[in-house]
């Protein structure tokens, strides 16, 4: 399962969404017609507090031949969407281990068309957020310490007669453009990768408006600076 994350500013406020990336192209699965919503209300839904609960939900889902399709975390709840072959064993989710002061509710429903899956499908800026978080995950795995640095964005398919207008539009929001080579252009600006989606999404829209394709961004890995030793003589 290729698990993907993205951010959502929904009716309940900020949400961190998770989705089985394979299902973005494979859904629905006709063998799993039952949607099961498992909601855990807890003082904190962060992974370190609800890890045992999530693991139990995943194990039960796998044991009964189902599939966890997506999740949503708010400040006070974790919502998990699983699809199952039937409702025969859905009651098992009511007995998962819970952290202190937490509660669980389970709502199975017949959903052969997987309409509930649309609730975890990223759209528009959310899709860009998913891509950005994927790059950030790779930086983190490489030991990145975070912070502002130069980010390079790549745009391709830019026609020569539209390059000047594109450069002007991108420059108006702070991007510095390099020369276009074979319709490919690198644009730079300084930003923190953890807070880049507003800029990457805007650049993607500008690219599309000028007939080009926004391919994404990359940056060097930020590493902790080494302390210099000072030797003092008396």
């Amino acid at each position: 399962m290729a698990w993907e994350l993205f951010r959502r500013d929904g009716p309940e406020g900020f949400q961190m969404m998770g989705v089985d990336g394979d299902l973005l192209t494979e859904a629905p699965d006709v063998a799993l017609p039952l949607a099961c919503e498992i909601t855990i209300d807890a003082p904190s839904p962060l992974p370190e507090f609800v890890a045992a609960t999530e693991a139990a939900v995943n194990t039960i889902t796998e044991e009964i031949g189902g599939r966890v399709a997506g999740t949503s975390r708010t400040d006070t709840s974790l919502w998990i969407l699983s699809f199952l072959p039937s409702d025969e064993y859905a009651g098992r989710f009511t007995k998962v281990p819970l952290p202190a002061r937490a509660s669980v509710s389970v709502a199975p429903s017949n959903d052969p068309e997987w309409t509930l899956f649309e609730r975890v499908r990223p759209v528009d800026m959310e899709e860009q957020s998913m891509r950005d978080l994927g790059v950030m995950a790779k930086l983190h795995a490489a030991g990145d310490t975070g912070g502002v640095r130069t980010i390079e964005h790549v745009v391709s398919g830019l026609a020569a007669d539209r390059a000047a207008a594109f450069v002007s539009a991108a420059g108006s929001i702070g991007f510095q453009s390099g020369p276009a080579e074979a319709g490919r252009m690198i644009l730079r600006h300084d930003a923190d990768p953890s807070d880049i989606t507003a800029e990457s999404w805007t650049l993607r829209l500008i690219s599309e408006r000028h007939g080009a394709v926004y391919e994404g961004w990359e940056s060097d890995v930020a590493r902790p600076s080494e302390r210099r030793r000072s030797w003092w003589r008396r």
Side-chain angles (χ1 to χ4, degrees), residues 39-45 49-50 53 75-77 97-104:
T39 304
I40 295 96
D41 292 311
S44 173
F49 292 103
V50 294
T53 305
D75 288 339
T76 59
S77 69
L98 296 169
R101 303 193 309 277
S103 61
V104 61

Side-chain angles (χ1 to χ4, degrees), residues 13-144:
F14 174 80
Q15 298 168 265
M16 179 60 76
M17 306 294 296
V19 62
D20 182 339
D22 294 335
L23 289 177
L24 294 175
T25 56
E26 296 174 3
D29 185 340
V30 295
L32 304 173
L34 188 94
C36 191
E37 299 176 75
I38 302 116
T39 304
I40 295 96
D41 292 311
S44 173
L46 293 176
E48 54 264 38
F49 292 103
V50 294
T53 305
E54 284 191 87
V57 169
N58 290 336
T59 298
I60 292 170
T61 301
E62 184 177 352
E63 287 178 351
I64 61 182
R67 191 162 182 177
V68 175
T71 61
S72 170
R73 296 177 200 273
T74 67
D75 288 339
T76 59
S77 69
L78 167 65
W79 175 81
I80 302 173
L81 176 64
S82 292
F83 282 90
L84 311 175
S86 71
D87 63 355
E88 183 177 1
Y89 300 105
R92 291 181 61 184
F93 294 115
T94 64
K95 300 176 182 179
V96 294
L98 296 169
R101 303 193 309 277
S103 61
V104 61
S105 62
V106 179
S109 61
N110 191 43
D111 187 16
E113 301 298 325
W114 281 42
T115 56
L116 280 177
F117 182 70
E118 296 307 308
R119 291 172 58 177
V120 295
R121 187 185 294 277
V123 294
D124 298 333
M125 193 172 180
E126 296 171 353
E127 183 183 357
Q128 185 60 47
S129 170
M130 184 173 70
R131 297 180 182 182
D132 293 342
L133 285 170
V135 180
M136 282 185 274
K138 293 178 181 178
L139 289 171
H140 180 73
D144 193 276

Side-chain angles (χ1 to χ4, degrees), residues 119-197:
R119 291 172 58 177
V120 295
R121 187 185 294 277
V123 294
D124 298 333
M125 193 172 180
E126 296 171 353
E127 183 183 357
Q128 185 60 47
S129 170
M130 184 173 70
R131 297 180 182 182
D132 293 342
L133 285 170
V135 180
M136 282 185 274
K138 293 178 181 178
L139 289 171
H140 180 73
D144 193 276
T145 57
V148 176
R149 83 290 300 273
T150 298
I151 307 290
E152 292 190 347
H153 301 257
V154 179
V155 172
S156 64
L158 184 63
D161 60 347
R162 305 187 72 175
F166 170 77
V167 168
S168 177
S172 69
I173 57 171
F175 288 94
Q176 297 181 338
S177 308
E181 297 181 2
R184 190 172 184 271
M185 181 178 289
I186 294 177
L187 301 97
R188 298 177 176 86
H189 74 142
D190 292 336
D192 186 332
S194 67
D195 187 28
I196 199 174
T197 298

